[in-house]
Amino acid sequence: MAVQMPFISEAVEAMYRQDYLRASMFLDQCFNDTPETWFWRACLLQLLIYDSGDGTLVDSFYRLTDRAARRCLLSAQAFPAEIEPLLYWGLVELNRANMLGWQQRRFDGLRAMLRADQYFGQAARISPNDIAVRFGQGVVEYFRACASRYVFGLQLFGSRSRAYQALRKVEQSDVLLRAAAGFMLAFMYKEDRQFDSSLAFCHRLLQNYPSNRAARRLLRDALLAAG
């Protein structure tokens, strides 16, 4: 991991700068067959799909996440006391849920989110204070709390306050998921009509990634929703 981490960090920064070729080049220098590398490869394709709007790449995304999940399963079986396979398995399912939502397959997306919650729960039992696990749990907690907003009539137990608390902690940390937490917080505040807070997080994202088109669209949507 010590050899891999700098390449992963550089790849993630390149992804959010939307320099997808550079991100891919850094990932190519990582140990290929690990849960972490497969997860970030899937993230790279997912961000490209969202940025381009090219739905023809979605099947490739699902094939890639299938391979990632398979690697997580094998690693979890081989190293049952380690947190990493369960963490990335949960994150893979969370990304699937996100993609399914993007396709307007919201019920399927919530099912994937609940699968992710199982893996995050198992990871938390191994390492209760792991900051990356809190990211996953925070995202799940938020969508549990407002499930009926996305699937009419569906009621799940969840706490918005716990979700915000978890994700703010991640966003203030130095983990690789801190930018993802920033995007999630900007989205959550917009959805909950706390527009000043949403705009503040959008501006923080754009300070770090000035050309990020997803952050610009989120800023635009928050401004429009605020009138």
Side-chain angles (χ1 to χ4, degrees):
M1 180 69 75
V3 175
Q4 176 143 320
M5 184 59 74
F7 294 130
I8 292 285
S9 298
E10 291 289 350
V12 173
E13 285 298 300
M15 286 182 205
Y16 286 112
R17 291 193 299 270
Q18 298 185 309
D19 189 344
Y20 302 119
L21 180 58
R22 184 174 175 83
S24 181
M25 289 172 60
F26 277 117
L27 287 174
D28 286 343
Q29 297 180 65
C30 298
F31 303 124
N32 188 53
D33 201 21
T34 69
E36 183 183 32
T37 303
W38 281 115
F39 166 72
W40 287 110
R41 285 190 182 281
C43 284
L44 174 59
L45 182 56
Q46 188 169 23
L47 290 174
L48 177 60
I49 292 169
Y50 290 169
D51 190 29
S52 67
D54 187 355
T56 64
L57 298 172
V58 169
D59 287 345
S60 296
F61 167 79
Y62 287 124
R63 285 195 295 270
L64 194 55
T65 55
D66 284 342
R67 295 182 71 175
R70 177 64 177 168
R71 180 66 265 173
C72 291
L73 170 62
L74 294 174
S75 295
Q77 291 173 337
F79 307 104
E82 290 192 4
I83 187 176
E84 184 177 271
L86 295 167
L87 166 65
Y88 284 109
W89 205 348
L91 291 172
V92 166
E93 290 293 345
L94 206 56
N95 275 5
R96 285 177 168 170
N98 196 304
M99 180 63 76
L100 288 162
W102 186 76
Q103 294 180 287
Q104 301 299 310
R105 296 167 58 187
R106 291 177 174 174
F107 186 75
D108 289 337
L110 284 169
R111 291 173 60 189
M113 182 198 71
L114 294 176
R115 289 196 300 271
D117 196 25
Q118 295 178 6
Y119 300 127
F120 293 136
Q122 293 175 46
R125 285 192 286 274
I126 296 172
S127 182
N129 297 317
D130 187 271
I131 194 71
V133 173
R134 290 191 181 188
F135 170 82
Q137 290 179 315
V139 173
V140 172
E141 191 76 29
Y142 180 77
F143 283 106
R144 277 182 172 277
C146 55
S148 61
R149 182 188 295 167
Y150 302 101
V151 178
F152 180 75
L154 181 63
Q155 296 293 326
L156 298 173
F157 293 106
S159 166
R160 280 182 171 82
S161 63
R162 284 199 300 268
Y164 279 110
Q165 182 180 16
L167 288 164
R168 282 196 295 263
K169 191 173 185 67
V170 178
E171 196 268 341
Q172 294 165 7
S173 74
D174 61 354
V175 299
L176 294 178
L177 293 166
R178 64 186 179 276
F183 275 98
M184 189 64 202
L185 284 162
F187 169 80
M188 288 161 52
Y189 279 120
K190 176 182 71 70
E191 292 292 286
D192 290 342
R193 304 190 66 77
Q194 298 183 48
F195 299 119
D196 288 344
S197 294
S198 179
L199 294 172
F201 275 99
C202 288
H203 287 302
R204 285 168 68 169
L205 289 166
L206 287 167
Q207 284 179 348
N208 293 324
Y209 310 106
S211 62
N212 187 285
R213 289 176 288 276
R216 290 181 178 184
R217 286 193 294 269
L218 194 51
L219 176 64
R220 174 204 64 193
D221 292 346
L223 287 168
L224 286 172

